[in-house]
Amino acid sequence: MWEDNIRRVVPYTPGEQPGRRVIKLNTNECPYPPSEKVIRALKEADYESLRLYPDPLCLKLRERIADYYGIGPENTFVGVGSDDVLSMCFLAFFAGKLPVLFPDITYSFYDVWAAVYGIPCKEIPLAEDFSIRLGDYPHENGGIVICNPNAPTGVVHPLSEIEEFVKKHDESVIIVDEAYIDFGGESAVRLIGKYENLAVVRTMSKSRALAGLRVGYAFGSKKLIGYLNDVKFSVNSYTMNLPSLVGAAAAMEDEEYFQEILGRIIKTRSRVSEELRSLGFRFRESGSNFVFVTHPEKDAEEIFEKLRERDIFVRHFNRERIRNYLRISIGTDEEMVILIKALGEILGKKGADE
Ligand SMILES: *Cc1c(COP(=O)(O)O)cnc(C)c1O
């Protein structure tokens, strides 16, 4: 009988985290370590103050992030990874009766948050080429979530299109999830002073190599961030622990290393894209740290299994429209050489560079 009172949900399925050393190209982590400055700040942190609660306002970290982007700390919110930030955004911004809109193919956590919070939602199909059909979003809605570059497709929309969209839907809160924007694409952070209804959500998990630290952040108008804070302080005041506050602040201070690893990943992505094309894979140019590929002659799930047998993990989504696709994170050059060789063997071809 007690089970009648349980909130039953179908949870999000995160990518596998195997406990052994494999070539791990399945959850879009950064293949390079975090900045030395982060490691040093973590080593030198004042751990005696762990007996105290951390700053509930996370002011120093918010100031550091705000300075970096040239906005105010009152326009900045931080959370336990962008999953926490997005979850709080769903809870705070989508309390209306009309359905919240997002693409049919996008980050598969959105419909999970909608379900757990009882938010009505509606999926708007992507175009055949996986572009987001921004013109198809009805004016009547309870809010909109757009991921740019989109996941798992990697497709980027130019900032001009995003601005046009935000301007047109001025009666809705628009969340732009920019988890991958550093890898290609122009951030909507510049628009927050202009549109009160816009929230831009970012993460340190991908481009700043800190998935394990769990730090995400959001930008918005002072009013919108105020509503977000009211909900956060109604759920958990002390979301950010001491190491994450210290480490994340340090991550914003090593621009040189940040640009260096971004450059490396982008260079590897362009080389690997060419090699995948010569193996017959088809895909759109990616603006993120992964490629989303399909092969006309070989079933994606079969390739997935055969890579797995070789301890190479990529991501396959058992979902309509994308069952025959694989999402492959960009790893180090060494890892990608092994991947390409394995794919060549699986497809019964010689290695790409032979
Ligand atoms: C990885 C990812 C996130 C969440 O990342 P966190 O590790 O929780 O910061 C959010 N949105 C998209 C589209 C992602 O790919």
Side-chain angles (χ1 to χ4, degrees):
M1 291 303 270
W2 58 269
E3 282 186 292
D4 293 345
N5 294 330
I6 299 291
R7 186 185 305 279
R8 291 182 197 222
V9 289
V10 181
Y12 171 75
T13 315
E16 216 176 327
Q17 296 292 347
R20 61 203 157 87
R21 248 190 141 67
V22 298
I23 294 188
K24 196 171 176 305
L25 307 173
N26 67 337
T27 53
N28 300 339
E29 288 136 325
C30 179
Y32 304 109
S35 154
E36 279 291 331
K37 288 193 180 172
V38 173
I39 311 286
R40 200 177 318 135
L42 288 173
K43 278 186 182 150
E44 291 169 1
D46 171 21
Y47 286 111
E48 289 198 358
S49 64
L50 277 175
R51 69 185 183 80
L52 301 172
Y53 282 108
D55 171 17
L57 298 169
C58 311
L59 193 58
K60 277 190 197 142
L61 175 58
R62 282 168 45 226
E63 281 173 351
R64 195 59 52 77
I65 294 171
D67 278 353
Y68 182 90
Y69 291 100
I71 56 168
E74 71 280 7
N75 302 113
T76 311
F77 178 86
V78 296
V80 188
S82 57
D83 284 344
D84 175 47
V85 175
L86 285 162
S87 151
M88 289 296 111
C89 287
F90 270 63
L91 194 53
F93 304 151
F94 301 151
K97 291 192 173 62
L98 290 172
V100 168
L101 314 175
F102 42 81
D104 60 341
I105 309 295
T106 191
Y107 189 36
S108 49
F109 225 137
Y110 303 151
D111 54 13
V112 175
W113 287 312
V116 74
Y117 294 137
I119 299 164
C121 61
K122 189 171 176 229
E123 295 178 354
I124 311 290
L126 293 182
E128 275 304 309
D129 72 351
F130 290 154
S131 303
I132 302 174
R133 278 203 281 236
L134 292 167
D136 283 3
Y137 286 65
H139 205 259
E140 290 263 297
N141 62 68
I144 304 174
V145 190
I146 295 292
C147 187
N148 190 46
N150 197 13
T153 63
V155 173
V156 191
H157 285 261
L159 184 59
S160 54
E161 281 180 26
I162 301 290
E163 175 161 15
E164 206 50 50
F165 187 74
V166 174
K167 197 191 283 183
K168 183 174 144 198
H169 292 278
D170 60 353
E171 287 169 33
S172 309
V173 172
I174 316 278
I175 297 176
V176 181
D177 181 348
E178 293 189 340
Y180 300 102
I181 197 81
D182 292 324
F183 300 105
E186 204 182 337
S187 174
V189 60
R190 284 206 288 105
L191 306 180
I192 60 153
K194 248 166 124 180
Y195 305 97
E196 223 177 21
N197 56 321
L198 170 68
V200 178
V201 178
R202 310 281 294 257
T203 176
M204 296 204 183
S205 296
K206 317 289 173 32
S207 58
R208 292 196 188 260
L210 287 172
L213 199 62
R214 310 304 302 129
V215 181
Y217 47 106
F219 306 124
S221 61
K222 189 177 169 190
K223 199 166 174 185
L224 196 65
I225 295 296
Y227 286 125
L228 192 54
N229 272 316
D230 289 346
V231 164
K232 172 227 150 131
F233 283 105
S234 310
V235 175
N236 182 359
S237 311
Y238 304 108
T239 48
M240 308 300 284
N241 60 53
L242 171 83
S244 62
L245 289 171
V246 168
M252 302 308 294
E253 292 197 334
D254 198 345
E255 185 63 13
E256 195 183 330
Y257 182 71
F258 177 58
Q259 294 300 339
E260 184 195 318
I261 59 175
L262 281 183
R264 270 198 247 167
I265 292 166
I266 291 166
K267 202 166 149 203
T268 306
R269 179 181 72 200
S270 90
R271 186 178 55 74
V272 167
S273 295
E274 263 177 53
E275 290 173 347
L276 288 168
R277 284 217 164 84
S278 54
L279 286 171
F281 284 97
R282 294 189 186 157
F283 52 99
R284 279 196 63 169
E285 207 56 50
S286 168
S288 55
N289 67 339
F290 56 82
V291 284
F292 192 57
V293 305
T294 189
H295 200 284
E297 288 145 33
K298 199 86 161 177
D299 183 58
E301 198 164 1
E302 189 185 336
I303 301 174
F304 171 84
E305 291 298 344
K306 290 196 162 154
L307 285 173
R308 218 183 129 87
E309 284 165 17
R310 291 167 164 83
D311 272 352
I312 302 171
F313 284 48
V314 299
R315 193 84 192 259
H316 175 251
F317 298 90
N318 200 0
R319 217 183 147 109
E320 234 178 289
R321 290 189 79 183
I322 57 169
R323 272 200 190 94
N324 208 25
Y325 282 79
L326 294 174
R327 191 193 68 190
I328 306 172
S329 310
I330 303 299
T332 61
D333 281 317
E334 296 72 27
E335 289 173 323
M336 300 320 267
V337 166
I338 298 170
L339 169 85
I340 295 292
K341 185 161 172 285
L343 286 172
E345 288 166 10
I346 292 165
L347 293 164
K349 300 184 183 182
K350 286 191 168 186
D353 44 8
E354 277 172 61

